Amino acid sequence: MAPEKFLKRKAPTTVSDFTIVPLTLPTLPGLPASHANTQHYLYAKPHVPSAYTANAERSLFLANIPIDASEPSLRELFAGQLGGARVESVEFDSSVPAAPLHKRWKAERRDDDDEQRGKKRKRNDAEVIAEGVVEDEESALPSLWNSELRRSGSAAVVVFVDKRSARGAMKEIQAAVKNGRTVQWKAGSGLGVERYKSHLSLIYPSTSSLQSSINAYLSQFTTLETHRAKLMKHARTVPDEDGFITVTRGGRTGPARLEEAEKKKAELEERRKNNGVKDDFYRFQTREKRKEAEVNLRKRFEEDRRRVERMRERRGRVRPEA
């Protein structure tokens, strides 16, 4: 009896709202021949976030992106093989190692609205006093990896220049899957053994790069310490809106002005008096207050009448002369 021939099952083209795009991965050096033309399945659909955003209608949501995916590689994928759509930006959910978050200088933040700047001034000053050194790309330590990798099953949101480009890219993806066209993925640089060779060399940065980052860090530290000292000095000498003097480390450089503290206290009492709820705010309160005043008046009248009668009893009644 002849052996049964099993037909190779065709991979599905859609799952739920996603269109499955098979990407042909390049063969890395050092891998056996069986790993040639390996396919990676990318899932794509129009981006529909739970909360509406301005870029939602011109975005695509990609799931299970390759581990070496980057913004240039996705730009090349859509521009070269998926209709030539122009990509504006790409937002990834995670990377390995995690990208460092560099804080911005408080002095670099500019608010166009003067009133808004005044409201946020005290909060920003408190943040400057509380937080440590503000690092940026210059003062941070050198990177130990030449490129970022994505976690397995990571997702990305690709934002196109307009709605037409996003719709055209999605139609091109569906047409490529329907026609069985081969979509080649171009691997990023620094994968395999080369990535770890580069990592081994980056572990020991040059003396000049280390000295440059240390100088930038110390310069920012000195600037921030000077700014923090000015803020603390101001907090020690000027009372806040409640009329209290903030107690800070380092001692007070000068006596607090008593006149300003009393002025703040008077302003606070006046504000509380004006903003307080009045007793006659509602109509029923006015009626109850009038009734209470009438009852008190009658009560005092009765007390005065009884007091006069007791005085007459003690002195005796006065009889007129005949």
Side-chain angles (χ1 to χ4, degrees):
M1 183 175 179
E4 296 182 359
K5 295 183 179 180
F6 296 94
L7 297 177
K8 186 177 180 181
R9 295 182 59 184
K10 187 178 180 181
T13 58
T14 59
V15 55
S16 186
D17 297 335
F18 289 93
T19 300
I20 304 176
V21 186
L23 301 178
T24 302
L25 300 180
T27 304
L28 295 177
L31 294 179
S34 59
H35 290 269
N37 298 326
T38 302
Q39 287 190 337
H40 177 88
Y41 294 96
L42 178 70
Y43 300 84
K45 73 170 185 176
H47 185 40
V48 184
S50 56
Y52 176 79
T53 59
N55 299 331
E57 297 181 354
R58 56 189 183 98
S59 304
L60 294 183
F61 181 79
L62 305 181
N64 195 35
I65 59 177
I67 61 172
D68 58 341
S70 61
E71 185 169 338
S73 62
L74 290 177
R75 287 178 182 271
E76 176 65 22
L77 176 66
F78 284 98
Q81 304 184 62
L82 295 177
R86 293 182 298 171
V87 176
E88 179 180 302
S89 62
V90 180
E91 300 176 2
F92 298 98
D93 59 352
S94 62
S95 62
V96 180
L101 298 177
H102 299 303
K103 302 176 183 178
R104 294 183 58 188
W105 277 95
K106 302 297 179 182
E108 294 179 357
R109 298 181 180 178
R110 296 290 184 267
D111 296 329
D112 297 334
D113 191 356
D114 294 339
E115 296 181 358
Q116 187 176 6
R117 187 189 306 117
K119 294 179 181 179
K120 293 184 178 180
R121 179 178 178 182
K122 289 191 175 181
R123 184 182 63 184
N124 292 340
D125 292 348
E127 291 176 358
V128 170
I129 294 175
E131 69 183 4
V133 177
V134 181
E135 294 184 359
D136 56 10
E137 296 180 358
E138 295 181 358
S139 59
L141 292 175
S143 176
L144 302 181
W145 299 92
N146 59 351
S147 62
E148 296 178 353
L149 295 181
R150 311 297 164 190
R151 297 184 183 275
S152 178
S154 296
V157 176
V158 182
V159 182
F160 295 86
V161 293
D162 52 18
K163 301 178 184 178
R164 184 177 180 181
S165 299
R167 289 194 295 265
M170 193 64 205
K171 290 181 180 179
E172 190 67 23
I173 289 175
Q174 294 172 350
V177 173
K178 182 179 180 180
N179 299 331
R181 191 170 73 233
T182 301
V183 180
Q184 189 74 27
W185 174 258
K186 294 185 178 180
S189 59
L191 293 180
V193 179
E194 297 298 329
R195 174 177 176 82
Y196 293 94
K197 288 182 179 179
S198 174
H199 173 64
L200 185 61
S201 62
L202 292 175
I203 290 178
Y204 306 98
S206 62
T207 306
S208 59
S209 62
L210 276 180
Q211 189 65 42
S212 176
S213 63
I214 291 173
N215 292 340
Y217 184 91
L218 293 178
S219 176
Q220 294 181 7
F221 178 81
T222 304
T223 304
L224 189 62
E225 282 295 309
T226 304
H227 185 44
R228 186 183 291 112
K230 291 181 180 179
L231 294 177
M232 295 177 69
K233 180 180 179 181
H234 179 77
R236 286 194 297 263
T237 57
V238 179
D240 56 11
E241 58 182 6
D242 295 332
F244 296 98
I245 301 296
T246 305
V247 179
T248 57
R249 184 181 61 183
R252 197 171 60 203
T253 57
R257 290 186 287 272
L258 183 61
E259 297 80 4
E260 293 185 1
E262 293 179 351
K263 182 179 179 181
K264 288 288 184 179
K265 184 177 180 180
E267 292 178 357
L268 179 62
E269 292 178 354
E270 184 68 20
R271 185 165 63 251
R272 289 178 178 175
K273 182 179 179 181
N274 295 334
N275 297 338
V277 179
K278 305 298 188 299
D279 295 338
D280 55 352
F281 184 78
Y282 297 101
R283 185 175 298 177
F284 76 91
Q285 291 178 334
T286 305
R287 291 197 302 268
E288 291 180 356
K289 189 175 181 180
R290 190 184 303 114
K291 290 180 181 179
E292 184 179 357
E294 184 178 353
V295 171
N296 292 334
L297 184 61
R298 289 181 179 179
K299 185 177 180 181
R300 289 196 299 269
F301 175 76
E302 292 294 334
E303 291 178 355
D304 293 341
R305 187 175 61 82
R306 288 193 294 268
R307 188 182 303 110
V308 171
E309 290 180 356
R310 288 195 297 269
M311 292 174 60
R312 287 178 178 178
E313 291 177 357
R314 288 196 300 268
R315 296 180 180 179
R317 294 185 178 275
V318 179
R319 297 180 180 180
E321 295 180 357

Short mmCIF file of all heavy atoms in Angstrom, two decimals, residues 41 50 57 79 117 173 198 212 225 252 267 286 290 308:
data_model
loop_
_atom_site.label_atom_id
_atom_site.label_comp_id
_atom_site.label_asym_id
_atom_site.label_seq_id
_atom_site.Cartn_x
_atom_site.Cartn_y
_atom_site.Cartn_z
N TYR A 41 5.82 35.92 11.29
CA TYR A 41 4.46 36.37 11.00
C TYR A 41 4.18 37.66 11.76
O TYR A 41 4.21 37.71 13.00
CB TYR A 41 3.44 35.29 11.37
CG TYR A 41 3.57 34.07 10.49
CD1 TYR A 41 4.31 32.97 10.91
CD2 TYR A 41 2.98 34.03 9.24
CE1 TYR A 41 4.45 31.85 10.10
CE2 TYR A 41 3.11 32.92 8.42
CZ TYR A 41 3.85 31.84 8.85
OH TYR A 41 3.98 30.74 8.04
N SER A 50 -8.27 52.66 22.75
CA SER A 50 -9.44 52.75 23.64
C SER A 50 -9.85 54.20 23.85
O SER A 50 -11.04 54.49 23.99
CB SER A 50 -9.10 52.10 24.99
OG SER A 50 -7.95 52.71 25.56
N GLU A 57 -6.46 57.87 13.27
CA GLU A 57 -6.98 57.59 11.93
C GLU A 57 -5.88 57.43 10.90
O GLU A 57 -6.15 56.93 9.80
CB GLU A 57 -7.95 58.69 11.51
CG GLU A 57 -9.19 58.79 12.41
CD GLU A 57 -10.13 59.87 11.94
OE1 GLU A 57 -9.75 60.61 10.99
OE2 GLU A 57 -11.23 60.00 12.51
N ALA A 79 8.11 51.75 2.72
CA ALA A 79 8.50 52.54 1.55
C ALA A 79 8.96 51.66 0.40
O ALA A 79 8.68 51.96 -0.77
CB ALA A 79 9.60 53.53 1.94
N ARG A 117 2.30 80.03 34.49
CA ARG A 117 3.65 79.92 35.03
C ARG A 117 3.65 80.26 36.51
O ARG A 117 4.35 79.64 37.31
CB ARG A 117 4.59 80.85 34.28
CG ARG A 117 6.05 80.67 34.68
CD ARG A 117 6.94 81.74 34.09
NE ARG A 117 6.80 81.82 32.66
CZ ARG A 117 6.35 82.88 32.02
NH1 ARG A 117 5.96 83.94 32.68
NH2 ARG A 117 6.27 82.89 30.70
N ILE A 173 -0.87 45.88 2.20
CA ILE A 173 -0.62 44.69 3.02
C ILE A 173 -1.60 43.58 2.67
O ILE A 173 -1.21 42.41 2.48
CB ILE A 173 -0.70 45.05 4.51
CG1 ILE A 173 0.49 45.91 4.93
CG2 ILE A 173 -0.76 43.80 5.38
CD1 ILE A 173 0.41 46.43 6.35
N SER A 198 30.48 43.70 20.05
CA SER A 198 30.36 45.14 20.25
C SER A 198 30.08 45.47 21.72
O SER A 198 30.62 46.44 22.26
CB SER A 198 29.24 45.69 19.37
OG SER A 198 29.00 47.05 19.64
N SER A 212 34.18 63.26 29.61
CA SER A 212 33.19 64.21 29.10
C SER A 212 31.86 64.07 29.83
O SER A 212 31.24 65.08 30.22
CB SER A 212 33.00 63.99 27.60
OG SER A 212 31.99 64.83 27.10
N GLU A 225 22.61 72.68 42.40
CA GLU A 225 22.80 72.97 43.81
C GLU A 225 22.69 74.47 44.08
O GLU A 225 22.12 74.90 45.09
CB GLU A 225 24.17 72.46 44.26
CG GLU A 225 24.23 70.96 44.48
CD GLU A 225 23.36 70.54 45.64
OE1 GLU A 225 23.48 71.12 46.73
OE2 GLU A 225 22.52 69.63 45.45
N ARG A 252 18.60 79.93 59.19
CA ARG A 252 18.06 81.11 58.54
C ARG A 252 19.14 82.17 58.44
O ARG A 252 19.84 82.47 59.40
CB ARG A 252 16.87 81.63 59.36
CG ARG A 252 15.98 82.59 58.61
CD ARG A 252 14.73 82.86 59.41
NE ARG A 252 15.05 83.44 60.70
CZ ARG A 252 14.24 83.39 61.74
NH1 ARG A 252 13.11 82.75 61.66
NH2 ARG A 252 14.58 83.95 62.89
N GLU A 267 -4.76 88.66 55.74
CA GLU A 267 -5.35 88.33 54.45
C GLU A 267 -6.05 86.97 54.49
O GLU A 267 -7.12 86.79 53.91
CB GLU A 267 -4.28 88.34 53.37
CG GLU A 267 -3.72 89.73 53.07
CD GLU A 267 -2.61 89.67 52.04
OE1 GLU A 267 -2.26 88.54 51.61
OE2 GLU A 267 -2.10 90.74 51.65
N THR A 286 -33.39 82.38 57.12
CA THR A 286 -33.85 83.72 57.52
C THR A 286 -35.10 83.63 58.39
O THR A 286 -35.23 84.33 59.40
CB THR A 286 -34.12 84.57 56.27
OG1 THR A 286 -32.96 84.59 55.45
CG2 THR A 286 -34.50 85.99 56.65
N ARG A 290 -35.45 84.72 62.34
CA ARG A 290 -36.43 85.70 62.81
C ARG A 290 -37.28 85.12 63.95
O ARG A 290 -37.55 85.80 64.95
CB ARG A 290 -37.34 86.11 61.64
CG ARG A 290 -38.23 87.31 61.97
CD ARG A 290 -39.18 87.64 60.84
NE ARG A 290 -38.46 87.89 59.60
CZ ARG A 290 -38.54 87.12 58.52
NH1 ARG A 290 -39.31 86.04 58.54
NH2 ARG A 290 -37.88 87.42 57.43
N VAL A 308 -39.38 92.42 88.10
CA VAL A 308 -40.06 93.59 88.67
C VAL A 308 -41.05 93.18 89.76
O VAL A 308 -41.16 93.83 90.81
CB VAL A 308 -40.76 94.38 87.54
CG1 VAL A 308 -41.66 95.48 88.13
CG2 VAL A 308 -39.74 94.99 86.61
#
